[in-house]
Amino acid sequence: MISIKSPREISLMRKAGEVVSDVFRQLGPLCVPGVNTLELANKAGKIIRSHGAIPTFLNYNGYPGIICISVNDTVVHGIPSKNIVLKDGDIVSLDVGATLNGYVADACRTYVVGIASEETKRLVRVTEECFYEGVKLIKEGVYLGDVSNAIEAHAIKNGYSVIRDYTGHGIGSHLHEDPYIPNYGKKGTGPVLKEGMCLAIEPMVAQGSYEVRVLGDGWTAKMKDGKLSSHYENTLVVTKDGYEILTNSKEIK
């Protein structure tokens, strides 16, 4: 069942979103050649805890990292490691969850590391565009399938594919709530959006095939063809006439 959040709950999620936003503000500039992903994760943990919040992902269903950090052909759930060192031309996705006063915010950004090809930069840019192509449709009364369809259409138009094994999701007092939100779909299908629904919309876009494989650690999801993948996500709330992004408090549409 999809829950409708009260103004009080939305306010609490907005505060959790401010924590997540602060992680990106501080970690984005640190995504440079020579930094290992465990350093980034430990810094994220310090930032989250400095706000009195809890790193949502740590030990979630057994996940061992403070945040998920995925590099190049790893699309999601990369485990931070001192052995994964960023270098020129990489892309690195920081997927961050914070729980504050019992409510969760979840978002992801993909950063280009150092000097990279124009095609690499384009993949990252188009992934973010996919998010906005989808969410610009969001308001009360819209089918969720319309949002999913718009995300996929923009990716395909640019020569990319969208990951099918992983989806966005509802969010609130739990990290994963109904509904699940694929990055592909048909117009006029799925749940009808209502004011107060809180959603984590997260396009995951690949240069090649959308097929993934999970490594023996049970978490790290890599592209089967070894090509690059990018990830962009925000937590938002549906309003009567649009939406508000809760993981970027200054961004209201």
Side-chain angles (χ1 to χ4, degrees), residues 208-223:
S209 167
Y210 57 73
E211 293 185 327
V212 302
R213 61 187 178 93
V214 178
L215 300 188
D217 59 29
W219 287 103
T220 306
K222 285 186 169 287
M223 305 311 305

Side-chain angles (χ1 to χ4, degrees), residues 15-90:
K15 291 183 183 303
E18 290 170 359
V19 177
V20 171
S21 296
D22 193 32
V23 174
F24 293 133
R25 278 192 292 270
Q26 294 195 49
L27 255 60
L30 302 181
C31 293
V32 295
V35 172
N36 69 64
T37 60
L38 185 59
E39 290 178 86
L40 294 173
N42 288 339
K43 176 68 172 176
K46 290 179 180 178
I47 297 166
I48 292 168
R49 293 185 178 104
S50 75
H51 290 276
I54 299 167
T56 309
F57 300 163
L58 183 60
N59 298 319
Y60 183 80
N61 292 334
Y63 178 74
I66 293 170
I67 62 174
C68 298
I69 305 185
S70 303
V71 180
N72 293 337
D73 62 335
T74 299
V75 60
V76 287
H77 304 159
I79 298 172
S81 170
K82 65 180 180 181
N83 297 320
I84 302 175
V85 180
L86 302 182
K87 62 184 187 302
D88 269 323
D90 285 346

Side-chain angles (χ1 to χ4, degrees), residues 5-179:
K5 305 301 188 294
S6 68
R8 171 185 169 275
E9 290 176 301
I10 293 166
S11 178
L12 290 170
M13 292 181 67
R14 189 180 292 113
K15 291 183 183 303
E18 290 170 359
V19 177
V20 171
S21 296
D22 193 32
V23 174
F24 293 133
R25 278 192 292 270
Q26 294 195 49
L27 255 60
L30 302 181
C31 293
V32 295
V35 172
N36 69 64
T37 60
L38 185 59
E39 290 178 86
L40 294 173
N42 288 339
K43 176 68 172 176
K46 290 179 180 178
I47 297 166
I48 292 168
R49 293 185 178 104
S50 75
H51 290 276
I54 299 167
T56 309
F57 300 163
L58 183 60
N59 298 319
Y60 183 80
N61 292 334
Y63 178 74
I66 293 170
I67 62 174
C68 298
I69 305 185
S70 303
V71 180
N72 293 337
D73 62 335
T74 299
V75 60
V76 287
H77 304 159
I79 298 172
S81 170
K82 65 180 180 181
N83 297 320
I84 302 175
V85 180
L86 302 182
K87 62 184 187 302
D88 269 323
D90 285 346
I91 55 175
V92 55
S93 299
L94 307 181
D95 193 353
V96 179
T99 303
L100 182 65
N101 297 318
Y103 284 83
V104 184
D106 178 18
C108 184
R109 300 287 185 270
T110 299
Y111 298 96
V112 176
V113 179
I115 301 170
S117 70
E118 289 305 312
E119 172 53 30
T120 296
K121 295 176 184 177
R122 179 174 177 270
L123 172 66
V124 173
R125 184 182 71 251
V126 169
T127 304
E128 182 175 349
E129 290 172 359
C130 284
F131 172 85
Y132 286 102
E133 284 298 311
V135 303
K136 74 181 183 182
L137 303 176
I138 288 180
K139 63 180 180 179
E140 188 168 72
V142 169
Y143 285 99
L144 189 55
D146 291 10
V147 177
S148 299
N149 178 269
I151 290 170
E152 181 185 31
H154 191 70
I156 290 174
K157 183 177 76 172
N158 283 278
Y160 301 129
S161 62
V162 294
I163 307 305
R164 291 174 174 253
D165 288 17
Y166 301 96
T167 71
H169 50 90
I171 189 169
S173 58
H174 296 86
L175 174 60
H176 293 116
E177 299 182 357
D178 290 336

